[in-house]
Amino acid sequence: LGGTVDERHPLCLGQADVFASRSLHATLGEADLVLVLGHHLEFAVDFGSPIRSNAKVVQCYCDPSFIGKGRHSDVAAVTGVTPVVELLNEIAPISSDRQWVKAVTSRWREELKTTYNPQPNSLPLHPAVAVRAVVETMPEGTIFITGHGNVDYWADGLIQVTGPARYIRGGLGGAVGPEIPYAVGARFAKPDSPVVVFVGDGAVGYHGVELDTA
């Protein structure tokens, strides 16, 4: 949903990437129902393999060729996210397993406290320390952009998306080196918003011309 729900919500489990979140991987293996809204089951969720075999999957995506790709969807619709969310809001509330909900959210907060919170004076410099220092310095409304590889895994846990179009994750494009062009585009789209780019070591060599353009 990319910012439709503020990630500061107490029930948020962070970015939907099982390689960046052990707690999300475990949660998908326990859930009875998984809603995939405006997305498809691609690499970031290991093509749906962490979802337990008897769970129900509801999917909406604008491209019919991606419906059910990677894993069968029990209920699917070729549509945008907004109509589905509006329909869900009309459904009467149902009872939930509050004990399980509390357990999975606690598991994510514990992961944030341990994996994503190394000692700031440790050597060599830990990627999470660098990312956290930048994120905590930037004002509300900053647009963050990451490349593909290990850099986005560390950024995922530490960038809390508070609104739409605040985090552009280059890794989902499946390419190495899109960060700077994405940042230029973001600056044109929202000229009053600060734009921060996290570039991985493998992508640095792609950006000479793009930096000159920027």
Side-chain angles (χ1 to χ4, degrees):
L1 288 175
T4 301
V5 176
D6 191 327
E7 289 190 6
R8 291 171 296 189
H9 192 285
L11 298 183
C12 179
L13 289 179
Q15 289 290 320
D17 191 317
V18 297
F19 301 104
S21 172
R22 294 190 302 273
S23 56
L24 175 63
H25 193 289
T27 300
L28 289 176
E30 299 167 357
D32 299 310
L33 173 67
V34 177
L35 278 68
V36 185
L37 305 182
H39 203 57
H40 60 98
L41 298 173
E42 40 70 84
F43 176 78
V45 287
D46 202 9
F47 306 100
S49 63
I51 301 173
R52 71 177 190 171
S53 58
N54 59 342
K56 298 296 183 183
V57 176
V58 176
Q59 180 185 16
C60 76
Y61 197 61
C62 57
D63 187 339
S65 66
F66 286 95
I67 295 292
K69 190 173 184 179
R71 188 189 191 283
H72 170 72
S73 297
D74 299 279
V75 179
V78 181
T79 179
V81 173
T82 300
V84 177
V85 173
E86 290 176 346
L87 184 63
L88 290 172
N89 284 332
E90 296 176 4
I91 299 175
I94 60 175
S95 60
S96 61
D97 185 344
R98 294 182 178 274
Q99 185 175 355
W100 179 74
V101 171
K102 182 179 180 180
V104 298
T105 53
S106 297
R107 189 161 55 199
W108 167 240
R109 286 193 291 271
E110 182 62 26
E111 186 173 355
L112 271 178
K113 188 188 302 183
T114 54
T115 304
Y116 288 92
N117 195 29
Q119 292 298 317
N121 57 351
S122 60
L123 292 175
L125 179 67
H126 195 286
V129 174
V131 172
R132 185 186 296 277
V134 174
V135 170
E136 291 180 348
T137 301
M138 299 308 297
E140 182 76 19
T142 296
I143 299 172
F144 294 98
I145 299 171
T146 61
H148 185 34
N150 292 331
V151 63
D152 50 350
Y153 294 157
W154 292 112
D156 281 349
L158 296 172
I159 296 175
Q160 286 192 311
V161 184
T162 59
R166 299 282 177 81
Y167 182 23
I168 302 173
R169 193 174 184 275
L172 293 179
V176 176
E179 304 95 318
I180 300 300
Y182 284 0
V184 174
R187 189 67 172 181
F188 274 111
K190 294 185 177 295
D192 296 328
S193 298
V195 179
V196 172
V197 188
F198 292 103
V199 181
D201 57 346
V204 170
Y206 289 81
H207 290 312
V209 175
E210 285 87 348
L211 284 169
D212 183 64
T213 301

